[in-house]
Amino acid sequence: MVTKIKRYLMMVLLAFAAGQTMWAQGVAEAEYPYRRDIEKGKYDRAAEKIHRRISRDSDNLECHYAAYKLYSTPDYPGRNTDTAYLHLVRVRALYAAADEKNLEKWSRDSYSGALIDSELRRISRIALTDAHAIRTPDGYQHYLNFYTLAPADLRDSAADSRDSLEFDIARRAATVAQLQVFIDRRPNANVTPDAIRLRDSLAFEDADRKHTYAAYQLFRSTYPQSHLYGRATDSVYALEFRDALQHDGEQYYRSYAERYQQSPYAQRAVWLADSIEYRREADTSDWQSMVQYIDMRNRKGWNDT
């Protein structure tokens, strides 16, 4: 009799346990109706169930996470990285605002802040790979505008790739104007110093072709920090000294020496001005004026009399 009772109780317990298992499976199926469909590749059915659930409960973290998984699955014909990212951002917001009860519930299902951060890096990397495949400035700009929560290193990589492409476009155009547009738009880009040097080189080549005082002066005033500023200055010195030589007048030489004291031709300009003055005074018949001139020059340390 006792044995029969034990056997009966055992059967009741087994039945209860089986019922509990079936009930738990039923709850799981009701709560996560998409998991098995995704695993079996029935993506359209999974998408229908997920969106039906989200339409009834927009704060369902599990369904948003499933939608993220679905839209980031490479085999899914409707794969859309942007949509997957939006669902994951929603998951992140729901998790951040959750109370202790939900956090405890989700922790049993392995949801955690670390998991969400890991998946955020994953989807951001996938999106960046897609941008690399397209390889256009607009593609990288879309990434930067859309994936605002992407890790900093991935965003920096996208920005560098965008800047490099835009610089290549400006470089192929080979005009000062195009390079200036890039410099103004991306003043802090890693390639901007290269763009500045190329712009300055092209601008200096243009001034060199014109080879006029005005052209070199315009370059100097426009690009005072240029690595070619010194060469432009040397050209100004040379052209102005050539102009003084053409006039071959004392006032031109003295004016040159005063205006361009750092010029390598300044001392020669002074010597030429003094020579003209000396010849003029030496030719006069007024000996007192001649003595006065020599005395003045000796005081200044000029002994070539």
Side-chain angles (χ1 to χ4, degrees), residues 67-264:
Y68 153 70
K69 281 292 190 181
L70 176 67
Y71 283 105
S72 64
T73 299
D75 295 336
Y76 177 41
R79 173 184 178 270
N80 188 307
T81 308
D82 289 357
T83 302
Y85 171 79
L86 289 176
H87 282 289
L88 187 60
V89 169
R90 183 62 176 154
V91 169
R92 187 174 184 269
L94 289 170
Y95 189 86
D99 55 24
E100 292 185 6
K101 181 181 178 180
N102 276 324
L103 288 176
E104 183 180 352
K105 170 179 172 290
W106 290 334
S107 67
R108 291 196 299 268
D109 296 320
S110 300
Y111 292 106
S112 67
L115 171 68
I116 295 170
D117 288 343
S118 175
E119 293 299 330
L120 185 60
R121 172 171 281 277
R122 170 181 174 268
I123 194 65
S124 298
R125 186 183 295 111
I126 291 172
L128 183 57
T129 300
D130 292 343
H132 283 318
I134 299 171
R135 194 168 170 74
T136 63
D138 288 344
Y140 288 118
Q141 191 60 55
H142 169 74
Y143 180 91
L144 292 167
N145 292 341
F146 195 83
Y147 293 85
T148 56
L149 297 179
D153 60 319
L154 298 182
R155 287 181 57 80
D156 289 345
S157 176
D160 287 344
S161 297
R162 176 205 61 193
D163 296 345
S164 295
L165 276 177
E166 289 182 349
F167 177 46
D168 284 342
I169 293 170
R171 180 167 49 192
R172 287 195 296 271
T175 66
V176 172
Q178 284 286 83
L179 288 163
Q180 189 62 57
V181 168
F182 172 80
I183 293 165
D184 293 339
R185 183 188 300 154
R186 311 295 180 203
N188 299 316
N190 291 329
V191 293
T192 295
D194 296 332
I196 290 173
R197 290 182 67 87
L198 180 56
R199 176 206 63 189
D200 292 356
S201 297
L202 291 176
F204 183 76
E205 287 176 6
D206 183 61
D208 232 11
R209 280 193 296 270
K210 296 174 181 175
H211 199 63
T212 63
Y213 170 84
Y216 289 120
Q217 279 293 73
L218 177 61
F219 178 88
R220 294 172 74 217
S221 62
T222 306
Y223 309 112
Q225 304 300 322
S226 173
H227 65 292
L228 295 168
Y229 184 86
R231 288 184 59 184
T233 301
D234 290 342
S235 297
V236 167
Y237 290 160
L239 285 174
E240 285 288 88
F241 186 64
R242 185 185 67 181
D243 186 61
L245 288 173
Q246 289 175 347
H247 287 88
D248 195 28
E250 178 189 349
Q251 62 175 338
Y252 290 99
Y253 290 129
R254 294 208 188 281
S255 175
Y256 179 90
E258 291 175 3
R259 285 184 295 134
Y260 304 114
Q261 296 180 19
Q262 304 300 320
S263 169

Side-chain angles (χ1 to χ4, degrees), residues 27-28 53 58 84 126-127:
V27 170
R53 172 62 65 85
S58 62
I126 291 172

Side-chain angles (χ1 to χ4, degrees), residues 274 277 288-305:
D274 290 347
E277 182 185 16
Q288 290 181 336
S289 176
M290 184 65 183
V291 170
Q292 183 180 7
Y293 173 79
I294 295 173
D295 180 61
M296 177 188 67
R297 286 303 174 192
N298 281 332
R299 290 176 188 175
K300 292 185 176 182
W302 187 68
N303 298 315
D304 188 17
T305 56

